[in-house]
Every structure is written in C-alpha cells, then in structure tokens.
Amino acid sequence: MAKQRGPGAGPPPWWRHGPPWPDRRGEGERADRWPWRSTLLLTAFVLVGSAYAARQQPERAPLDVFARVLLLAGSGLLLWRRRHPVAVVFGTAGAAVLYLGAGYPYGPVFLTVVVACFGAVVSGHRRAAWTAVGMLWAGHVLVAHLLYRWLPPAGDAPASWGQEAVIAAWVAAIVAVAELARTRHEQWARQQAERAQAARRRADEERLRIARELHDVLAHSISVIHVQAGVGLALLDTDPEQARTALTTIKTASKEALGEVRQVLDTLRTPGDAPRAPAPGLARLPELVRQAASAGLTVTVEGEPPRLAPGTDLAAFRIVQEALTNVVRHSGSREARVRVQRDGRALRLRVDDDGPATGADAGGSGNGLAGMRERAAALGGTIEAGPRPDGGFRVLAVLPLRGKAEEDDR
C-alpha cells in the first residue's frame, strides 16, 4: 500500500494534480485487488485487433515477435494501473510510440493508452496523463513527418496533416471524456459527503431534542419530588396525614416522569413510530399549576392559549414548565404568574416571580435556560430571561404561531 503523506511531507509531486478518484468499492475491493479479468480481455482484443489491422494494411510492416512483445507489454502494464497509474500511463504511451516507430500497422494499440490515461486522470494524476498523451502525439508527429525516411516500412510517405488533426482530436476527446467522468464522480462524492453530513446533523439535532426533553421532564419532576420529600420528612412525625399527601404527590410525579421518559426512549428504539401518548401542550397548563401547587408554588395563569402547531405547542409547554421549575428551585418567592398572549402572528409567554433568588445559578446560566433558548431558536423565536428592575425574575418567550419547520413542510 502507498504510504500516506504526513503534515510535513511537502507538496505533492509535479505530476499529481487534483484530488484522488472517489472509490465506490468497499474496503476489501480497493486498489489492492488486481484487475485481471479486464486486463486479459483487453490484451486479447488488442492482439486479435492488431492481427486484423495488419491484414487490412499490407503497406505497413508485418507483425513479428517484437511487435507482439510491444503489444503484450502495453496491455500487460494495465494490470498495475490501480497501483501505479503514472508509471502505467507513461509505459503504455512509450510502448505505443515504439510500435508506431517500428512501422507496424495502426490498430487497437492506442486503446491501451486510452485506458491508462483514463485511469491516471480519475486517480488524480491529471498532469501525468496529459503529459503522456501529449508525448504519444508528439512522437507520432516526429515519426510520421521527420523520421519516416529512416524507419520501416521502406518507401513510406509522410502522413498528411489532416490525419494529424484527426489524431489530435481523438487525443482531446480521450482527455475530455476522462475529465468528464472525473467531474461526475467528484459530484457524486460531494453529494455523498453532503448526505452524510446532513444525516449527522439530523442525528445531532435529534440527540439535542431528546436531551432537552429528558432534562425538562426530569428537572421538573425531580424538583417536585425533592420538595415533597422534604415536606414528608419534616411532617412524618407531627402530621402523618400531610406526610402521606406528600408521598402521594411523589408517587404521582414519579409515575408521570417515568411515562414521559419511556415515551422519549421508545422513539430511540423504534424510530418513525407514532408516540403512544400525545405530546404535551399548553392544554396541560392546569396540570402544571397543580404540580407547582404540590411543590408549594402558587401559579396564576392569565390569557387563553391559541391553537398552535404541535411543535410550537410542545415548545411553549416545556418553556413554561422549565420556567416554573426554576422558580421552585432558585427563587424564594412562592408565587408565580404565567401570561399567555397572542401578538399578531406570534405567541408571547411571560413567567414572572417576585424573588428573591436563592441559588448561585439563579440567573439562568444552567442547561434549562439553554434548552429553552434552543427550543425557541428552532422555531424562529426568541427567549429573554433575567432579573426584573423591581425585583424578581422574568422569562419572556416569543414564538411564531407557525414555526420554521412547519413553514418548510408547506
């Protein structure tokens, strides 16, 4: 195998121009395999075709042992065209020049150069291919117009320049076809890379979505469980009935959290399946209010939520849920206000509490606020969160009534 060039290996050789040919074969079918079949078929075609051409061109030198050696050498070199494309393209061109210089008949000897040139171009050695083909044409011009007097066959006349123009056109066509094939394969490789990148991007977005879902579900439920566990422990001896209520709330919250986590994980096990339960939305605001009340937080809701697209509805619910969870965890206030308002083609969600803050991360620097911003940004909306001038904390979300994903689907 060819050694890979390290960072300090310097520029590539002068004869290499362009990236290598994108290989569609698997790892076990790359350049390590020898192209036996195609080489044998091509060799047989060249030998048979040259024998036929010799019968059609009696004025040229007859095929002898040296001619057949040159034909076999030019065709046999193609066996190395994947491993050593530069050496093969120059070798086939040199064999063809010697064949023509010896006065042997024109025929499929040029086919070996065509295949070698094609292989060199598509493997990235474009300048080598151009140079070898140019050398072949220059050698033919030299033989056909200057050296023909001293080379066989005897009495040969110079070739016409019209014939040289035809040969030059064929040379240009060979290079053009090889370059066209290379361009098509580069486009294919670029499309494959773009598709792979898009798939990785979708996978990353899906991981982020699942991480946000799990964070929002677990953070809210565990906050409720934490508060109720503290209440239950504090009242276990003095007020068993209230402790029982706290334990019931813990059981209910943990059951709901397990159900939502299972639903999220089910989407990983069976992608594409419809969820077993509908995604939460602002219609579940009363449930959030009850859960917050069980954690000792009184929530007042103002306004009626409009009809929303599923993605916007879920994002709005999670934003309110996370904002109330932050109030429970990081605010000394036991009251919060949620305002839902339609403003033109946007939905405005505002969650206020009167503070004071009770934690080092009360300013909203954790994953919860980052998740809210990601949800809003995914829909083309915005999130503003920070302390209010008159004290307390405010989360303000502005979401388009139809998110970017829904607009794209239309």
Side-chain angles (χ1 to χ4, degrees), residues 162-227:
Q163 182 181 2
E164 295 300 332
V166 172
I167 295 176
W170 274 104
V171 170
I174 292 170
V175 176
V177 169
E179 291 289 346
L180 177 62
R182 175 180 175 81
T183 302
R184 293 292 299 273
H185 276 262
E186 285 181 348
Q187 292 175 351
W188 175 86
R190 187 163 51 250
Q191 291 171 358
Q192 290 293 100
E194 290 173 355
R195 279 195 287 267
Q197 184 178 5
R200 288 193 297 269
R201 184 170 60 249
R202 287 193 298 270
D204 291 341
E205 292 173 354
E206 182 66 10
R207 282 194 293 268
L208 286 175
R209 184 191 69 81
I210 293 171
R212 286 195 299 265
E213 288 291 316
L214 290 177
H215 175 273
D216 293 345
V217 170
L218 295 178
H220 176 75
S221 301
I222 291 175
S223 296
V224 173
I225 291 172
H226 174 73
V227 171

Side-chain angles (χ1 to χ4, degrees), residues 64-148:
D64 53 16
V65 175
F66 182 62
R68 289 180 171 82
V69 169
L70 289 176
L71 293 175
L72 285 173
S75 302
L77 283 174
L78 297 177
L79 193 61
W80 285 269
R81 65 182 182 270
R82 293 180 183 171
R83 296 172 177 246
H84 308 289
V86 175
V88 169
V89 73
F90 278 105
T92 54
V97 169
L98 288 176
Y99 179 89
L100 295 176
Y104 297 121
Y106 294 96
V109 63
F110 298 106
L111 186 59
T112 60
V113 184
V114 171
V115 174
C117 174
F118 189 89
V121 168
V122 299
S123 64
H125 305 284
R126 303 164 68 186
R127 290 178 179 170
W130 300 341
T131 304
V133 173
M135 181 187 74
L136 173 61
W137 182 75
H140 180 268
V141 170
L142 187 64
V143 169
H145 294 274
L146 294 178
L147 303 179
Y148 68 92

